[in-house]
mmCIF file of all heavy atoms in Angstrom:
data_model
loop_
_atom_site.group_PDB
_atom_site.id
_atom_site.type_symbol
_atom_site.label_atom_id
_atom_site.label_comp_id
_atom_site.label_asym_id
_atom_site.label_seq_id
_atom_site.Cartn_x
_atom_site.Cartn_y
_atom_site.Cartn_z
ATOM 1 N N HIS A 1 10.496 -8.937 16.447
ATOM 2 C CA HIS A 1 10.375 -7.679 17.217
ATOM 3 C C HIS A 1 8.990 -7.077 16.955
ATOM 4 O O HIS A 1 8.730 -6.475 15.923
ATOM 5 C CB HIS A 1 11.462 -6.695 16.828
ATOM 6 C CG HIS A 1 12.842 -7.183 17.208
ATOM 7 N ND1 HIS A 1 13.291 -7.212 18.481
ATOM 8 C CD2 HIS A 1 13.849 -7.644 16.408
ATOM 9 C CE1 HIS A 1 14.544 -7.701 18.480
ATOM 10 N NE2 HIS A 1 14.882 -7.936 17.252
ATOM 11 N N THR A 2 8.100 -7.217 17.924
ATOM 12 C CA THR A 2 6.708 -6.766 17.756
ATOM 13 C C THR A 2 6.620 -5.250 17.662
ATOM 14 O O THR A 2 5.592 -4.712 17.222
ATOM 15 C CB THR A 2 5.862 -7.231 18.943
ATOM 16 O OG1 THR A 2 6.431 -6.766 20.171
ATOM 17 C CG2 THR A 2 5.818 -8.771 18.996
ATOM 18 N N GLN A 3 7.661 -4.550 18.060
ATOM 19 C CA GLN A 3 7.622 -3.073 18.011
ATOM 20 C C GLN A 3 7.407 -2.553 16.585
ATOM 21 O O GLN A 3 6.833 -1.500 16.414
ATOM 22 C CB GLN A 3 8.930 -2.471 18.556
ATOM 23 C CG GLN A 3 9.185 -2.778 20.040
ATOM 24 C CD GLN A 3 10.013 -4.022 20.213
ATOM 25 O OE1 GLN A 3 10.059 -4.886 19.333
ATOM 26 N NE2 GLN A 3 10.641 -4.141 21.372
ATOM 27 N N PHE A 4 7.865 -3.335 15.616
ATOM 28 C CA PHE A 4 7.757 -2.882 14.237
ATOM 29 C C PHE A 4 6.307 -2.890 13.748
ATOM 30 O O PHE A 4 5.960 -2.173 12.808
ATOM 31 C CB PHE A 4 8.598 -3.760 13.345
ATOM 32 C CG PHE A 4 10.081 -3.518 13.496
ATOM 33 C CD1 PHE A 4 10.832 -4.367 14.258
ATOM 34 C CD2 PHE A 4 10.683 -2.433 12.926
ATOM 35 C CE1 PHE A 4 12.184 -4.166 14.445
ATOM 36 C CE2 PHE A 4 12.034 -2.191 13.111
ATOM 37 C CZ PHE A 4 12.780 -3.080 13.863
ATOM 38 N N SER A 5 5.459 -3.707 14.343
ATOM 39 C CA SER A 5 4.059 -3.728 13.966
ATOM 40 C C SER A 5 3.403 -2.370 14.208
ATOM 41 O O SER A 5 2.676 -1.827 13.371
ATOM 42 C CB SER A 5 3.322 -4.845 14.706
ATOM 43 O OG SER A 5 1.980 -4.880 14.329
ATOM 44 N N ASP A 6 3.634 -1.806 15.401
ATOM 45 C CA ASP A 6 3.066 -0.523 15.760
ATOM 46 C C ASP A 6 3.604 0.566 14.850
ATOM 47 O O ASP A 6 2.899 1.490 14.440
ATOM 48 C CB ASP A 6 3.354 -0.166 17.206
ATOM 49 C CG ASP A 6 2.579 -1.070 18.185
ATOM 50 O OD1 ASP A 6 1.526 -1.588 17.781
ATOM 51 O OD2 ASP A 6 3.050 -1.212 19.335
ATOM 52 N N LEU A 7 4.893 0.496 14.527
ATOM 53 C CA LEU A 7 5.504 1.462 13.652
ATOM 54 C C LEU A 7 4.916 1.380 12.259
ATOM 55 O O LEU A 7 4.627 2.381 11.618
ATOM 56 C CB LEU A 7 6.996 1.264 13.613
ATOM 57 C CG LEU A 7 7.800 2.206 12.699
ATOM 58 C CD1 LEU A 7 7.531 3.672 13.078
ATOM 59 C CD2 LEU A 7 9.291 1.915 12.768
ATOM 60 N N GLY A 8 4.732 0.158 11.776
ATOM 61 C CA GLY A 8 4.148 -0.016 10.452
ATOM 62 C C GLY A 8 2.757 0.531 10.359
ATOM 63 O O GLY A 8 2.369 1.209 9.399
ATOM 64 N N LYS A 9 1.943 0.284 11.373
ATOM 65 C CA LYS A 9 0.567 0.783 11.402
ATOM 66 C C LYS A 9 0.579 2.312 11.427
ATOM 67 O O LYS A 9 -0.244 2.936 10.776
ATOM 68 C CB LYS A 9 -0.157 0.248 12.613
ATOM 69 C CG LYS A 9 -0.477 -1.216 12.528
ATOM 70 C CD LYS A 9 -1.100 -1.742 13.831
ATOM 71 C CE LYS A 9 -1.332 -3.257 13.764
ATOM 72 N NZ LYS A 9 -1.879 -3.791 15.019
ATOM 73 N N ALA A 10 1.527 2.921 12.138
ATOM 74 C CA ALA A 10 1.593 4.367 12.217
ATOM 75 C C ALA A 10 1.974 4.950 10.813
ATOM 76 O O ALA A 10 1.409 5.941 10.395
ATOM 77 C CB ALA A 10 2.645 4.797 13.244
ATOM 78 N N ILE A 11 2.912 4.308 10.154
ATOM 79 C CA ILE A 11 3.362 4.808 8.843
ATOM 80 C C ILE A 11 2.212 4.750 7.823
ATOM 81 O O ILE A 11 2.042 5.679 7.029
ATOM 82 C CB ILE A 11 4.571 3.998 8.358
ATOM 83 C CG1 ILE A 11 5.803 4.398 9.144
ATOM 84 C CG2 ILE A 11 4.823 4.263 6.853
ATOM 85 C CD1 ILE A 11 7.065 3.604 8.761
ATOM 86 N N PHE A 12 1.468 3.656 7.849
ATOM 87 C CA PHE A 12 0.479 3.451 6.779
ATOM 88 C C PHE A 12 -0.962 3.784 7.191
ATOM 89 O O PHE A 12 -1.894 3.620 6.393
ATOM 90 C CB PHE A 12 0.527 1.983 6.314
ATOM 91 C CG PHE A 12 1.862 1.633 5.708
ATOM 92 C CD1 PHE A 12 2.687 0.712 6.342
ATOM 93 C CD2 PHE A 12 2.317 2.203 4.545
ATOM 94 C CE1 PHE A 12 3.948 0.381 5.810
ATOM 95 C CE2 PHE A 12 3.531 1.873 3.993
ATOM 96 C CZ PHE A 12 4.348 0.967 4.640
ATOM 97 N N GLU A 13 -1.154 4.291 8.367
ATOM 98 C CA GLU A 13 -2.496 4.551 8.885
ATOM 99 C C GLU A 13 -3.315 5.478 7.958
ATOM 100 O O GLU A 13 -4.507 5.293 7.756
ATOM 101 C CB GLU A 13 -2.462 5.192 10.281
ATOM 102 C CG GLU A 13 -3.792 5.513 10.865
ATOM 103 C CD GLU A 13 -3.692 6.148 12.234
ATOM 104 O OE1 GLU A 13 -2.556 6.414 12.734
ATOM 105 O OE2 GLU A 13 -4.739 6.400 12.861
ATOM 106 N N ASN A 14 -2.638 6.473 7.383
ATOM 107 C CA ASN A 14 -3.331 7.479 6.566
ATOM 108 C C ASN A 14 -3.128 7.252 5.059
ATOM 109 O O ASN A 14 -3.500 8.116 4.249
ATOM 110 C CB ASN A 14 -2.868 8.858 6.938
ATOM 111 C CG ASN A 14 -3.207 9.208 8.363
ATOM 112 O OD1 ASN A 14 -4.341 9.613 8.670
ATOM 113 N ND2 ASN A 14 -2.246 9.077 9.293
ATOM 114 N N LEU A 15 -2.578 6.107 4.711
ATOM 115 C CA LEU A 15 -2.352 5.793 3.271
ATOM 116 C C LEU A 15 -3.668 5.616 2.540
ATOM 117 O O LEU A 15 -4.596 4.998 2.992
ATOM 118 C CB LEU A 15 -1.535 4.516 3.159
ATOM 119 C CG LEU A 15 -1.355 3.925 1.776
ATOM 120 C CD1 LEU A 15 -0.507 4.843 0.912
ATOM 121 C CD2 LEU A 15 -0.751 2.539 1.873
ATOM 122 N N THR A 16 -3.714 6.211 1.331
ATOM 123 C CA THR A 16 -4.839 5.958 0.397
ATOM 124 C C THR A 16 -4.248 5.553 -0.938
ATOM 125 O O THR A 16 -3.236 6.065 -1.371
ATOM 126 C CB THR A 16 -5.700 7.211 0.194
ATOM 127 O OG1 THR A 16 -4.932 8.271 -0.331
ATOM 128 C CG2 THR A 16 -6.344 7.662 1.529
ATOM 129 N N MET A 17 -4.904 4.553 -1.565
ATOM 130 C CA MET A 17 -4.470 4.048 -2.866
ATOM 131 C C MET A 17 -5.699 3.933 -3.734
ATOM 132 O O MET A 17 -6.500 2.996 -3.611
ATOM 133 C CB MET A 17 -3.784 2.662 -2.703
ATOM 134 C CG MET A 17 -2.506 2.713 -1.917
ATOM 135 S SD MET A 17 -1.848 1.044 -1.461
ATOM 136 C CE MET A 17 -1.705 0.266 -3.082
ATOM 137 N N ASP A 18 -5.879 4.885 -4.633
ATOM 138 C CA ASP A 18 -7.048 4.911 -5.517
ATOM 139 C C ASP A 18 -6.646 4.517 -6.945
ATOM 140 O O ASP A 18 -5.692 5.099 -7.533
ATOM 141 C CB ASP A 18 -7.648 6.338 -5.531
ATOM 142 C CG ASP A 18 -8.149 6.765 -4.146
ATOM 143 O OD1 ASP A 18 -8.719 5.930 -3.456
ATOM 144 O OD2 ASP A 18 -7.918 7.927 -3.759
ATOM 145 N N ILE A 19 -7.355 3.567 -7.491
ATOM 146 C CA ILE A 19 -7.055 3.096 -8.862
ATOM 147 C C ILE A 19 -7.524 4.147 -9.882
ATOM 148 O O ILE A 19 -8.668 4.558 -9.883
ATOM 149 C CB ILE A 19 -7.752 1.764 -9.095
ATOM 150 C CG1 ILE A 19 -7.178 0.669 -8.170
ATOM 151 C CG2 ILE A 19 -7.593 1.336 -10.574
ATOM 152 C CD1 ILE A 19 -7.883 -0.683 -8.327
ATOM 153 N N LYS A 20 -6.586 4.515 -10.756
ATOM 154 C CA LYS A 20 -6.937 5.434 -11.846
ATOM 155 C C LYS A 20 -7.208 4.695 -13.135
ATOM 156 O O LYS A 20 -8.097 5.075 -13.875
ATOM 157 C CB LYS A 20 -5.745 6.433 -12.023
ATOM 158 C CG LYS A 20 -5.349 7.179 -10.769
ATOM 159 C CD LYS A 20 -6.460 8.043 -10.241
ATOM 160 C CE LYS A 20 -6.726 9.222 -11.172
ATOM 161 N NZ LYS A 20 -7.776 10.131 -10.585
ATOM 162 N N SER A 21 -6.391 3.656 -13.429
ATOM 163 C CA SER A 21 -6.629 2.903 -14.652
ATOM 164 C C SER A 21 -5.988 1.539 -14.524
ATOM 165 O O SER A 21 -5.028 1.327 -13.748
ATOM 166 C CB SER A 21 -6.036 3.643 -15.863
ATOM 167 O OG SER A 21 -4.627 3.772 -15.764
ATOM 168 N N ILE A 22 -6.514 0.586 -15.325
ATOM 169 C CA ILE A 22 -6.007 -0.781 -15.339
ATOM 170 C C ILE A 22 -5.796 -1.183 -16.788
ATOM 171 O O ILE A 22 -6.693 -1.017 -17.603
ATOM 172 C CB ILE A 22 -6.963 -1.776 -14.664
ATOM 173 C CG1 ILE A 22 -7.201 -1.401 -13.183
ATOM 174 C CG2 ILE A 22 -6.473 -3.207 -14.822
ATOM 175 C CD1 ILE A 22 -8.287 -2.244 -12.534
ATOM 176 N N ASP A 23 -4.607 -1.720 -17.083
ATOM 177 C CA ASP A 23 -4.314 -2.211 -18.438
ATOM 178 C C ASP A 23 -4.046 -3.715 -18.312
ATOM 179 O O ASP A 23 -2.955 -4.150 -17.921
ATOM 180 C CB ASP A 23 -3.074 -1.491 -19.017
ATOM 181 C CG ASP A 23 -2.888 -1.787 -20.501
ATOM 182 O OD1 ASP A 23 -3.155 -2.938 -20.921
ATOM 183 O OD2 ASP A 23 -2.433 -0.916 -21.238
ATOM 184 N N LEU A 24 -5.026 -4.516 -18.682
ATOM 185 C CA LEU A 24 -4.910 -5.966 -18.520
ATOM 186 C C LEU A 24 -3.920 -6.539 -19.519
ATOM 187 O O LEU A 24 -3.272 -7.551 -19.223
ATOM 188 C CB LEU A 24 -6.265 -6.623 -18.686
ATOM 189 C CG LEU A 24 -7.354 -6.204 -17.677
ATOM 190 C CD1 LEU A 24 -8.658 -6.928 -17.988
ATOM 191 C CD2 LEU A 24 -6.870 -6.534 -16.254
ATOM 192 N N ASN A 25 -3.786 -5.945 -20.674
ATOM 193 C CA ASN A 25 -2.834 -6.428 -21.677
ATOM 194 C C ASN A 25 -1.401 -6.252 -21.217
ATOM 195 O O ASN A 25 -0.558 -7.161 -21.371
ATOM 196 C CB ASN A 25 -3.059 -5.740 -23.025
ATOM 197 C CG ASN A 25 -4.400 -6.108 -23.661
ATOM 198 O OD1 ASN A 25 -4.846 -7.256 -23.537
ATOM 199 N ND2 ASN A 25 -5.017 -5.148 -24.296
ATOM 200 N N LYS A 26 -1.089 -5.087 -20.688
ATOM 201 C CA LYS A 26 0.276 -4.828 -20.239
ATOM 202 C C LYS A 26 0.488 -5.285 -18.785
ATOM 203 O O LYS A 26 1.617 -5.255 -18.267
ATOM 204 C CB LYS A 26 0.568 -3.309 -20.311
ATOM 205 C CG LYS A 26 0.605 -2.779 -21.730
ATOM 206 C CD LYS A 26 0.934 -1.270 -21.728
ATOM 207 C CE LYS A 26 1.019 -0.732 -23.145
ATOM 208 N NZ LYS A 26 1.320 0.717 -23.176
ATOM 209 N N LYS A 27 -0.600 -5.671 -18.134
ATOM 210 C CA LYS A 27 -0.571 -6.102 -16.741
ATOM 211 C C LYS A 27 0.003 -4.995 -15.860
ATOM 212 O O LYS A 27 0.985 -5.163 -15.114
ATOM 213 C CB LYS A 27 0.242 -7.390 -16.569
ATOM 214 C CG LYS A 27 -0.466 -8.614 -17.184
ATOM 215 C CD LYS A 27 0.280 -9.893 -16.823
ATOM 216 C CE LYS A 27 -0.456 -11.105 -17.359
ATOM 217 N NZ LYS A 27 0.199 -12.400 -17.045
ATOM 218 N N THR A 28 -0.636 -3.818 -15.948
ATOM 219 C CA THR A 28 -0.269 -2.696 -15.127
ATOM 220 C C THR A 28 -1.496 -2.058 -14.493
ATOM 221 O O THR A 28 -2.578 -2.162 -15.034
ATOM 222 C CB THR A 28 0.494 -1.603 -15.922
ATOM 223 O OG1 THR A 28 -0.375 -1.113 -16.953
ATOM 224 C CG2 THR A 28 1.768 -2.168 -16.540
ATOM 225 N N VAL A 29 -1.288 -1.390 -13.397
ATOM 226 C CA VAL A 29 -2.328 -0.619 -12.763
ATOM 227 C C VAL A 29 -1.742 0.709 -12.315
ATOM 228 O O VAL A 29 -0.653 0.749 -11.741
ATOM 229 C CB VAL A 29 -2.980 -1.374 -11.553
ATOM 230 C CG1 VAL A 29 -1.951 -1.733 -10.517
ATOM 231 C CG2 VAL A 29 -4.102 -0.531 -10.926
#
């Protein structure tokens, strides 16, 4: 169902994900 593609783009269009910290030992971000 291609309709979900447009819905997904609408939901995430304004999403921002900024990295604050990375812990390589614990494998977390």
Side-chain angles (χ1 to χ4, degrees):
H1 296 288
T2 58
Q3 297 92 339
F4 288 100
S5 179
D6 290 336
L7 179 57
K9 290 175 183 177
I11 287 177
F12 298 113
E13 179 180 4
N14 296 280
L15 172 66
T16 60
M17 296 169 56
D18 298 319
I19 296 177
K20 305 298 291 184
S21 63
I22 299 172
D23 190 324
L24 299 179
N25 293 323
K26 294 182 179 180
K27 291 187 177 181
T28 61
V29 57

